[in-house]
Amino acid sequence: MQQIEIDKKYIEEVYNLNKNCDYLKYTIMTMGCQLNENDSEKISGMLEEMNYKYTDNFEDADLIVFNTCCVRENAEEKLFGKIGEVKNLKENKNVILAIGGCMMQEKNMVEKIKKSYPYVDIVFGTHTIHKLPEDIFRVLSERNKVRDIIDIDGDIYEGMPIKRNSSYKASVTIMYGCNNFCSYCIVPYVRGRERSRDPERILEEIRMLAKEGYKEITLLGQNVNSYKGDDKIKNFAELLDEVCKIDGIEFVNFISPHPKDFTDDVIEVIAKNPKVTRIIHLPLQSGSTKVLKEMNRKYTKEQFIERANKIKKMCPDVVFSTDIIVGYAGETEEDFEDTLDVVRQINFEQIYMFIYSIREGTVGAKREDQVPEDIKHARFDRLKELYESRVDENNEKYIGTCQKILIEGLSKNNPNTYTGRTNTNKVVIFDKDGDYKPGDIINCKITEAHKWYLKGEKVN
Ligand code: SF4
């Protein structure tokens, strides 16, 4: 029997154990990136097929899942705080507690849970999510604790149930793992080596989503543009092109690309396909060639700028977003100035800024020349100040332009206005002059620019 059939058999087994209980509820706390969000959607899909219904209230839940991330240090504190908080639910109500995700691929974390939080029922890793039904079955029928983690790279499992969080935008994971071993990053150790999904399976999934009314697709991968297909659809550029041909899909994003794999054929596909959103994420990490080499990023400051300029030349309507790590080990004032220089030159519209934190097990953690915390924080503030000083100017450029807007729904703070996003991910607010549902697309003329949103009016 194939693994996916075994998994489905356990879904059925748990359903049979649960079928006479009408009110079984689950909740999921998801940490980290969009890949984890997508994993949580798959976990929800399995749980719903086992007769659990979602609640956002921990107190109401019969089963609580923590889907963890280990990219940043503060995630650990957050997780352990939360597991401590739910101890009383375990004691009073005997909820099932399951912890999975990247952090559970770290041996010391699993040991800590075993020792300090023995009431946790299930610990599962990134490669064994599909076995959660079997783990739950064992807890329900045998009252055993389950530790279900493997170190080897997991296979790709197609056909798992999924319950999506949105009715109009969907993430589709196209590849798993990473081969790059950037020296600050724990991901290759916990997510394994790169494995790409079959292109036809991906396209089939997106065609189904289009039929169900989805308008926006985000292709996901730790290193999305190193995707490898088959003889027919060979690489990321060809896959992106095929996704854009699917009727009904109007916005196509991808995250997170690596600058070294941002080849000319990918840029050509973006240039000819207006469906590809006009905000390109190009993670810089540092502007210093010396630091980039130490980070094992495989491009220089000049090569990064050349790539961004080439994208801008071939697709003049795109803007950029980026990730920057401030205070990596050995970063000098001069190195940091190089980062500010690239920020000035490229004029990123969005910057996700992070203060470097040591991740045990990585090359960066072993370095003795760590930057003192106060210097890291001062540099972070300077970068933030530079970024924010550009926001007004960048937003004002939109005034008078006509933008295609994907509607998200009525504004939370004012039910007389709708909120939507441009294809550069800018929030746009416009007056309610008709009935729209999330996922509808309209054209808006931008009339005002504010710090964190634009105002517009509908045009035909
Ligand atoms: S490309 Fe680098 S930063 Fe991104 S997941 Fe791989 S190792 Fe981590």
Side-chain angles (χ1 to χ4, degrees), residues 318-412:
V318 306
V319 298
F320 293 103
S321 62
T322 197
D323 299 325
I324 294 177
I325 297 172
V326 175
Y328 181 66
E331 183 192 76
T332 62
E333 179 58 27
E334 203 185 341
D335 295 323
F336 179 64
E337 280 296 334
D338 272 334
T339 299
L340 298 181
D341 184 42
V342 180
V343 170
R344 284 188 202 100
Q345 287 195 49
I346 306 297
N347 191 20
F348 300 103
E349 279 212 3
Q350 279 179 13
I351 304 182
Y352 301 93
M353 295 171 252
F354 306 98
I355 291 176
Y356 173 64
S357 66
I358 293 175
R359 304 316 296 134
E360 286 309 330
T362 62
V363 173
K366 297 192 190 95
R367 292 187 53 159
E368 285 175 3
D369 53 351
Q370 302 293 336
V371 177
E373 287 302 314
D374 56 337
I375 295 180
K376 284 194 226 175
H377 281 87
R379 287 182 189 158
F380 181 89
D381 291 345
R382 282 163 62 199
L383 174 62
K384 189 162 169 267
E385 201 181 314
L386 172 62
Y387 165 59
E388 289 185 359
S389 72
R390 299 291 189 94
V391 170
D392 290 340
E393 196 186 314
N394 281 333
N395 285 352
E396 274 158 22
K397 283 190 301 210
Y398 284 84
I399 294 178
T401 63
C402 185
Q403 300 287 329
K404 184 174 162 187
I405 308 292
L406 182 66
I407 295 175
E408 294 186 334
L410 287 171
S411 305
K412 284 198 184 92

